[in-house]
């Protein structure tokens, strides 16, 4: 450990900071081929034989043709056309060979990617620029997560008018939840467990509620971050004290519980998206991880495509697998992929060693009456254990006689940091330091100094180390993530059934909790999208995304570039995408890059998807025009990813774009900033003049590459400015 290097370790007695880990795995399927598993069956609805009066009758007939005993778990009407069911491997293969069957996909298991934010984003100082509360209250944010704790003050409906007439959803009853738990703020609540139960057995109602009720905390935190009502005097044990409010505090919230103790299953996720589309949500917020597979095999991407066609903005977390490259989730271009940055608020603490050295870190412990204020014995966990993994402070690995009354140094990894703190406490330790390295000092001593909540931390934001990074492993020519938003130490609503650590041994109960992850940054953008939708109800999801991206900032007020906490250096578009969101500017972006469903279908043609694969996404017959030349670089995306591969000199790649005027008439001039000996950039034309609203103007960017070493990256920006507004797009150039 290096003295005074921020975030080299985390200090904790009972650490509250939680990072959800994203991964996806195949739902359990035994080697025995007769073992049944859940499959999602995509049907080509236009191919339904005329002999069937309704498509569900056709689905049932198709299923019965391969299995007399199989039952449909769900039928899907909006997200896809099809159903989910339990089949053997042989039955699944037989079903997929039948006419009208587009694909039969094995179910996947997803997992969660687990206040001062409005002030940090400038929302408190720009009330006159924000849409009126009446228009915001017509916007409905749907959240797919672990459910909701309806008693949270974040869902009080004081001052709310009638539920929007466009709403067609329901408030479902179940364990510890009735229709009375919904109100004019929390207008809908559903739960989806058939896929989960088909694979893992019945929900254990002694451990979690088979209803929309949240027993975990994650869903309540994300939904209140996106659209929670304002709550004064909110804090966690006095930390982050102030008014907690969602990004769109006057928006309505509808929750869809799809995640359970055993994970989130794709058949349930698709069913929830299917209902949310039909219910009439305007925004879908999904803080869960998806598989890295082709879009036509990605359930979240497929459901999001259907939502996009209905005008629904879909925001997803980028994942917590950073700082590794190619670690992103949810990379479909019709999804807004959100990475995480810090706030200008921190909770500093310091370890002071007996040798006089000090190390900075973070803690959410207030320091009352535990530490005696003097140096205490400091022991490395690996030296106080007979277990090979004792250094990690795993349960049952510490020797109490060697830990009691001491501060214990635990290595990071494998088990949650809050569990490490609990293990030290159970063994009689008095404090825990979480570190990326070990210490070898003889007979060391230490104490911990706690400084509470500090604001005005600079530089801020910085890209969080855990935030997943690009490049985009599915389509390298589409730059991801799209943007970053606050995702570190976020205060939001919590449940009454779990302590702030989420550990079974934690008997404390709080109304608000502070946690971190791209799970937290995603609902920030979902709420901001709701604000923009309220201000511009006729804007498409692509226009809203464009507004957020082209107004995002990549430098601090002093002109320095955004930093990456993982490297201590400038962050890049592979880390922060277009930059950090600036919602006030996004309300009036001047110009937008718009896209329609057909534009995305042309993009799929450019990827050489087959007609069957495209139909799986489009839910209708679509055939690529054999006489037309399709190019991924023609997708009207608000960023530029240029891949020269291992090509030599004079490789030319052209990108075409079209800007739509959503502001006042004016003339915009282009500015290119990219300093690299390996590429030249030219924009034609260099000036765009707009005389009226919704007028469109096109331009072409030509990138001419030179030979460069493999794994070289260069970054820059293209900015259009009318003297008042800047419409910016990041550039990422790669040689592989």
């Amino acid at each position: 450990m290096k003295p005074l290097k921020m975030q080299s370790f985390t200090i904790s007695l009972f650490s509250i900071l939680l990072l959800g880990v994203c991964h996806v795995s195949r739902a359990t399927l035994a080697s025995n081929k007769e073992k049944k598993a859940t499959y999602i069956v995509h049907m080509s609805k236009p191919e339904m034989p005329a002999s069937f009066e309704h498509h569900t009758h056709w689905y049932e007939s198709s299923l019965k043709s391969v299995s007399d005993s199989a039952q449909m778990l769900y039928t899907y009407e909006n997200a896809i056309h099809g159903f989910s069911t339990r089949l053997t491997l042989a039955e699944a293969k037989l079903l997929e060979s039948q006419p009208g069957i587009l694909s039969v996909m094995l179910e996947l298991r997803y997992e969660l990617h687990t206040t001062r934010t409005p002030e940090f984003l400038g929302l408190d100082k720009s009330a006159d620029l924000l849409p009126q509360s009446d228009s915001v209250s017509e916007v409905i944010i749907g959240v797919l997560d672990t459910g909701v704790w309806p008693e949270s003050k974040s869902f009080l409906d004081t001052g709310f008018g009638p539920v929007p007439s466009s709403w067609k959803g329901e408030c479902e009853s179940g364990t510890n939840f009735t229709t009375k738990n919904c109100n004019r703020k929390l207008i809908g609540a559903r739960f989806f467990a058939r896929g989960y139960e088909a694979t893992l057995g019945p929900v254990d109602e002694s451990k979690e509620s088979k209803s929309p009720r949240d027993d975990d905390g994650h869903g309540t935190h994300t939904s209140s971050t996106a659209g929670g009502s304002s709550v004064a005097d909110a804090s966690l044990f006095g930390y982050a004290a102030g008014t907690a409010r969602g990004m769109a505090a006057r928006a309505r919230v509808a929750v869809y519980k799809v995640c359970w103790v055993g994970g989130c299953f794709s058949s349930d996720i698709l069913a929830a998206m299917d209902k949310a589309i039909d219910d009439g949500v305007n925004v879908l917020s999904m803080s869960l991880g998806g598989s890295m597979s082709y879009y036509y095999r990605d359930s979240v991407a497929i459901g999001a495509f259907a939502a996009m066609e209905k005008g629904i903005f879909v925001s997803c977390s980028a994942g917590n697998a950073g700082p590794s490259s190619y670690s992103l989730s949810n990379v479909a271009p019709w999804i807004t992929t959100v990475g995480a940055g810090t706030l200008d608020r921190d909770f500093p603490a310091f370890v002071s060693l007996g040798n006089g050295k000090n190390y900075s870190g973070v803690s959410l412990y207030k320091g009352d009456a535990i530490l005696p204020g003097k140096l205490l014995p400091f022991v490395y966990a690996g030296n106080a254990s007979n277990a090979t993994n004792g250094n990690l402070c795993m349960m049952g690995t510490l020797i109490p006689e060697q830990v009691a009354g001491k501060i214990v140094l635990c290595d990071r990894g494998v088990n949650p940091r809050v569990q490490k703190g609990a293990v030290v406490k159970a063994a009689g330790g008095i404090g825990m330091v979480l570190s990326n390295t070990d210490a070898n000092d003889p007979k060391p001593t230490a104490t911990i100094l706690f400084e509470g909540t500090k604001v005005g931390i600079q530089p801020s934001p910085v890209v969080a180390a855990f935030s997943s990074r690009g490049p985009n492993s599915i389509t390298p020519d589409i730059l991801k993530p799209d943007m970053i938003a606050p995702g570190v130490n976020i205060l939001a609503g919590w449940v009454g059934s779990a302590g702030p650590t989420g550990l079974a041994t934690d008997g404390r109960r709080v109304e608000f909790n502070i946690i971190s992850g791209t799970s937290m940054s995603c609902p920030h953008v979902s709420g901001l999208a709701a604000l923009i939708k309220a201000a511009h109800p006729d804007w498409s999801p692509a226009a809203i995304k464009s507004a957020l991206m082209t107004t995002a900032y990549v430098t601090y007020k002093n002109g320095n570039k955004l930093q990456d906490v993982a490297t201590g250096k400038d962050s890049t578009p592979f880390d922060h995408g277009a930059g950090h969101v600036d919602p006030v500017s996004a309300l009036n972006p001047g110009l937008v890059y718009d896209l329609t469903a057909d534009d995305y279908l042309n993009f799929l043609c450019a990827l050489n998807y087959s007609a069957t694969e495209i139909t799986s996404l489009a839910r209708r017959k679509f055939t690529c025009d054999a006489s037309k030349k399709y190019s991924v670089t023609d997708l009207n995306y608000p960023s530029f990813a240029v891949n020269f591969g291992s090509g030599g000199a004079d490789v030319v790649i052209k990108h075409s774009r079209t800007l739509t005027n959503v502001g006042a008439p004016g003339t915009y001039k282009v500015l290119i900033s990219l300093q690299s000996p390996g590429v030249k950039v030219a924009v034609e034309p260099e000036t765009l003049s707009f005389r009226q609203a919704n007028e469109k103007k096109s331009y072409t960017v030509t990138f001419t590459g030179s030979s460069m070493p493999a794994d070289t990256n260069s970054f820059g920006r293209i900015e259009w400015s009318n003297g008042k507004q800047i419409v910016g797009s990041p550039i990422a150039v790669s040689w592989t």
Side-chain angles (χ1 to χ4, degrees), residues 528-542:
L528 298 179
L531 289 178
I532 297 174
K533 182 68 175 179
H536 306 284
D538 58 333
W539 280 15
S540 69

Side-chain angles (χ1 to χ4, degrees), residues 581-654:
V581 290
D582 180 354
V584 176
S585 297
L587 287 166
N588 184 22
L591 307 173
V592 296
Y593 295 89
D594 207 357
L595 284 160
T596 66
D598 283 347
D599 293 324
Y600 290 118
L601 293 175
N602 290 335
F603 161 77
L604 298 177
C605 291
L607 295 179
N608 294 317
Y609 278 20
S610 69
T612 297
E613 292 164 350
I614 294 176
T615 302
S616 293
L617 280 156
R619 306 173 323 286
R620 63 180 186 274
K621 285 288 186 181
F622 184 89
T623 303
C624 302
D625 186 346
S627 65
K628 182 176 179 180
K629 183 179 180 181
Y630 296 95
S631 174
V632 173
T633 61
D634 288 338
L635 185 69
N636 201 37
Y637 214 70
S639 58
F640 298 88
V642 183
N643 293 276
F644 287 116
S646 57
D650 300 324
V651 176
V652 176
I653 297 176
K654 293 189 176 184

Side-chain angles (χ1 to χ4, degrees), residues 41-63:
V41 183
H42 292 246
M43 306 288 288
S44 179
K45 195 173 178 181
E47 295 184 41
M48 183 182 76
S51 58
F52 294 99
E53 293 184 0
H54 195 269
H55 60 274
T56 56
H57 300 158
W58 178 38
Y59 298 171
E60 291 170 354
S61 176
S62 299
L63 180 57

Side-chain angles (χ1 to χ4, degrees), residues 305-504:
F305 191 96
M308 171 274 299
E309 282 197 294
K310 295 289 187 179
I312 300 169
F313 179 94
V314 181
S315 175
C316 291
S317 48
N320 297 338
S324 299
S325 299
Y326 297 98
S327 55
L328 293 164
S329 297
N330 304 313
V331 297
W334 47 89
I335 290 174
T336 298
T337 311
V338 188
T342 64
L343 294 171
D344 63 343
R345 177 182 67 201
D346 208 351
F347 311 102
F350 298 87
V351 171
S352 180
L353 300 182
N355 62 8
K357 293 183 178 181
N358 295 312
Y359 299 85
S360 61
V362 174
S363 179
L364 289 173
Y365 173 67
K366 295 186 66 175
D368 293 341
I370 297 294
L371 291 175
K374 64 180 181 181
L375 292 172
L376 297 170
F378 188 31
V379 62
Y380 176 52
N383 297 331
S385 173
N386 292 323
T388 57
N389 60 352
N391 62 306
L392 298 174
C393 296
M394 304 286 285
M395 293 183 66
T397 60
L398 298 182
I399 301 172
E401 293 79 9
Q402 297 184 27
V403 168
K406 300 178 181 179
I407 296 174
V408 180
L409 179 70
C410 301
D411 282 345
R412 180 180 178 182
V414 183
N415 59 329
R417 62 193 67 185
V418 291
Q419 188 181 82
K420 296 176 191 289
V423 168
V424 171
K425 182 180 180 182
I430 203 167
M432 189 272 282
V433 175
L434 181 68
S435 175
N436 294 325
T437 60
D438 19 52
N440 299 307
D441 297 333
K443 295 182 180 180
T445 57
T447 190
I448 304 176
L449 309 173
F450 305 96
E451 294 204 346
T453 303
K454 298 290 185 180
V455 297
I457 301 295
Q458 297 299 329
S460 63
V462 296
V463 179
F466 60 78
S467 187
S468 289
R469 314 302 171 97
N472 182 336
S473 62
I474 301 300
T475 313
D477 294 319
I478 300 297
L479 181 60
K480 291 282 183 169
D482 291 311
M483 64 197 73
I484 60 171
V488 178
N489 294 339
I490 303 302
L491 180 76
W494 199 244
V495 297
S497 57
T501 64
L503 298 176

Side-chain angles (χ1 to χ4, degrees), residues 643-713:
N643 293 276
F644 287 116
S646 57
D650 300 324
V651 176
V652 176
I653 297 176
K654 293 189 176 184
H655 286 244
S656 61
R657 295 292 189 271
T658 299
L659 282 163
T660 302
N661 182 34
V662 293
T667 297
Y668 289 77
K669 296 182 178 180
V670 73
L671 173 65
I672 305 168
S673 57
L674 192 153
Q675 295 181 349
S676 170
V679 61
K680 295 180 180 179
V681 185
V683 176
E684 179 63 35
E686 296 181 345
T687 301
L688 299 175
S689 294
F690 298 88
R691 294 183 175 85
Q692 58 189 12
N694 298 315
E695 185 178 0
K696 298 179 183 293
K697 296 284 185 176
S698 298
Y699 68 94
T700 300
V701 187
T702 301
F703 298 91
T704 304
S706 301
S707 295
M708 294 290 286
D711 299 322
T712 297
N713 298 307

